[in-house]
Amino acid sequence: ASAVEVAEAHLDRIASVDGQINAFLHVDRETTLAQARRVDERRAAGEELGPLAGVPIAHKDVFTTEDMPTTAGSKILEGWRPPYDATVTARLRRAGLVILGKTNMDEFAMGSSTENSAYGVSRNPWDLDRVPGGSSGGSSAAVAAYEAPLSTGTDTGGSIRQPAAVTGIVGMKPTYGGSSRYGVIAFASSLDTPGPFARNVLDAALLHEAFSGHDPMDSTSVSRPVPPVVEAARRADVNGLRVGVVREFAGDGYQPGVTARFNEAVELLESLGAKVVEVSCPHFEYALSAYYLIAPSECSSNLARFDAMRYGLRVGDDGTRSAEEVMALTRAEGFGAEVKRRIMLGTYALSSGYYDAYYGKAQQVRTLVKRDFEAAFEQVDVLVSPTTPTTAFPVGERADDPIAMYRADLCTIPANLTGNAAISVPCGLADGLPVGLQIMAPVLGDDRVYRVGAAVER
Ligand code: GLN
């Protein structure tokens, strides 16, 4: 099929179901079809395009796109049209992928349900009364609802793996620095990591490979070659591989169906020839608390740039008010409650007199988590756990309980603090809803999680 035909089929699907799902914040048929026509022309002219040329993709609305608006799910960026493409966007455009639109997300990627979006909640295609996870919930819902075959997300504290798990798709957090942050609206710069969503592991690997690799525009970009993720996904064997089950990620707080599916995945790994052992990572239980100091601290600094002067919303600029007053009014109206909570927490944690007790301590925990990973990877090749303690929760259930919301990230956050590669792959249903298996590998061991994921995905 031509790129135009494939794009049209997906645009039609979006038109028929997105009224219920609300995965997209921006869809523009003409812009998408113009891109698709261009790809068909490039192909007709004999240009060598990659394996994903002509395949449609939906981008989380945190990636800048020069032909579409970018809001990061916030009112403060409403109407902003970025003058440039993110590196991820630009590379995929060059590879011939066709952008279907921009997807919904928790404001500035802060959340686990998309309920913090300024533009309404996205719905889980498996049950419209439940959340599709977050913060990249529009991207997970779009792929799970067959509105898009592929999408992008960012994973700062689980925001790719958790939404993938609860919508029954594949989501991967590359090694930190393996994918470029250039043109990704910043949340917590030492953690933010772009990554792929797809309906199977091989597709995710193809997408991963298409946007990864060194980028001189990102000072923390890794200069080593991209791990051979596509080859690993094709290989899909675990014979002789040593797999560690994280002892701390089980027990209280885990839905029985999640534990049951996880145990079956472990048995499957064993039956395929993997050597499974239990591994203890004693500091993983402190990772969540450390993250909820580090991420807000970095966000309080990054979000200072939304000053009502440079982009987006400006409130109260009637000629009678000072710049400071306009700034305060704009930030009061433009930021939602969770973003304000994080800015206040972060500012507090970084303030003199509290820095050592909060931010400093959190960074020490980060080092201990890193040592746990290093010790574990002396014994095993990959670590596995459930991706999330529970399946998708009902819309509204945790909306007024930030701590309950944060607990959705329990198993995903250790890999963020240390920059390790980690994937979530579907491993069956519990009470009719999808369960995710998380596979974690050392830094730059991205290929391993694809190899194992492809062997056990359901
Ligand atoms: N739930 C995490 C948070 O709210 C997820 C963040 C993310 O990965 N973008 O911070």
Side-chain angles (χ1 to χ4, degrees):
S2 69
V4 168
E5 286 167 330
V6 177
E8 267 172 344
H10 284 90
L11 289 166
D12 291 347
R13 173 75 182 160
I14 293 169
S16 73
V17 304
D18 208 54
Q20 285 175 295
I21 306 284
N22 193 35
F24 285 88
L25 295 179
H26 180 84
V27 178
D28 166 3
R29 214 178 165 90
E30 278 324 302
T31 303
T32 297
L33 292 177
Q35 286 178 28
R37 274 193 293 273
R38 181 80 197 107
V39 171
D40 286 332
E41 285 162 16
R42 286 166 69 189
R43 213 172 355 214
E47 191 178 326
E48 202 61 69
L49 297 166
L52 296 178
V55 176
I57 187 160
H59 287 304
K60 185 178 186 180
D61 205 24
V62 76
F63 292 92
T64 58
T65 38
E66 66 184 2
D67 52 0
M68 292 180 182
T70 300
T71 67
S74 183
K75 235 166 94 175
I76 212 159
L77 277 174
E78 191 160 15
W80 183 55
R81 289 219 165 224
Y84 68 109
D85 269 345
T87 295
V88 166
T89 320
R91 286 186 180 171
L92 295 179
R93 230 192 259 280
R94 240 176 284 135
L97 284 92
V98 174
I99 305 173
L100 290 167
K102 305 298 288 293
T103 61
N104 195 22
M105 55 183 284
D106 287 295
E107 186 175 9
F108 289 107
M110 298 173 196
S112 305
S113 67
T114 76
E115 291 169 288
N116 297 333
S117 169
Y119 304 99
V121 63
S122 297
R123 302 283 169 164
N124 191 318
W126 291 79
D127 176 349
L128 295 176
D129 293 327
R130 291 176 188 265
V131 302
S135 63
S136 316
S139 282
S140 63
V143 169
Y146 291 82
E147 295 173 272
L150 299 173
S151 63
T152 54
T154 51
D155 194 314
T156 301
S159 281
I160 293 175
R161 289 162 287 156
Q162 183 258 8
V166 302
T167 58
I169 64 170
V170 175
M172 198 293 183
K173 184 196 89 69
T175 292
Y176 175 79
S179 50
S180 171
R181 288 183 295 112
Y182 179 73
V184 178
I185 299 183
F187 164 14
S189 305
S190 77
L191 302 163
D192 295 345
T193 311
F197 285 104
R199 286 192 292 266
N200 63 63
V201 170
L202 179 58
D203 287 357
L206 287 163
L207 180 55
H208 179 128
E209 193 165 82
F211 63 61
S212 297
H214 181 66
D215 180 13
M217 300 299 279
D218 173 355
S219 63
T220 58
S221 170
V222 168
S223 54
R224 301 266 295 278
V226 181
V229 293
V230 172
E231 195 187 305
R234 290 220 163 92
R235 181 168 169 191
D237 94 274
V238 295
N239 201 13
L241 215 71
R242 297 164 306 164
V243 173
V245 174
V246 181
R247 179 185 304 154
E248 285 75 12
F249 286 158
D252 272 2
Y254 288 79
Q255 193 177 318
V258 167
T259 302
R261 292 301 86 71
F262 173 69
N263 290 338
E264 288 162 16
V266 171
E267 281 163 27
L268 176 60
L269 279 162
E270 259 178 326
S271 75
L272 294 171
K275 293 190 189 58
V276 179
V277 293
E278 204 181 67
V279 168
S280 175
C281 297
H283 302 98
F284 278 19
E285 62 176 302
Y286 307 111
L288 189 71
S289 312
Y291 169 88
Y292 277 101
L293 286 166
I294 292 167
S297 296
E298 294 189 22
C299 111
S300 70
S301 164
N302 272 325
L303 269 54
R305 69 179 59 119
F306 299 103
D307 58 3
M309 304 295 136
R310 281 178 274 198
Y311 7 60
L313 188 72
R314 183 179 296 174
V315 176
D317 183 18
D318 59 6
T320 70
R321 293 192 174 88
S322 69
E324 285 75 13
E325 286 170 322
V326 171
M327 198 181 302
L329 287 169
T330 303
R331 287 170 70 88
E333 192 169 315
F335 288 140
E338 182 64 23
V339 172
K340 287 176 184 162
R341 179 182 297 124
R342 305 257 181 135
I343 292 172
M344 288 192 288
L345 274 171
T347 307
Y348 182 79
L350 289 177
S351 56
S352 80
Y354 298 102
Y355 184 96
D356 290 339
Y358 294 108
Y359 186 75
K361 269 276 175 286
Q363 292 290 24
Q364 288 172 339
V365 169
R366 200 172 186 175
T367 301
L368 295 173
V369 171
K370 195 171 172 56
R371 288 188 192 151
D372 279 0
F373 267 123
E374 283 164 2
F377 288 128
E378 278 176 16
Q379 297 171 257
V380 297
D381 300 300
V382 294
L383 289 170
V384 294
S385 76
T387 307
T388 56
T390 71
T391 54
F393 46 89
V395 172
E397 187 189 80
R398 303 185 188 178
D400 300 321
D401 186 349
I403 303 291
M405 189 71 87
Y406 299 167
R407 271 202 292 271
D409 311 326
L410 199 64
C411 310
T412 43
I413 278 180
N416 291 97
L417 291 182
T418 56
N420 288 50
I423 200 169
S424 179
V425 302
C427 67
L429 303 180
D431 310 312
L433 292 168
V435 177
L437 169 71
Q438 177 174 231
I439 304 155
M440 295 170 274
V443 164
L444 287 170
D446 303 47
D447 50 322
R448 281 188 212 171
V449 307
Y450 283 105
R451 184 177 151 197
V452 178
V456 297
E457 66 182 325
R458 298 280 189 87

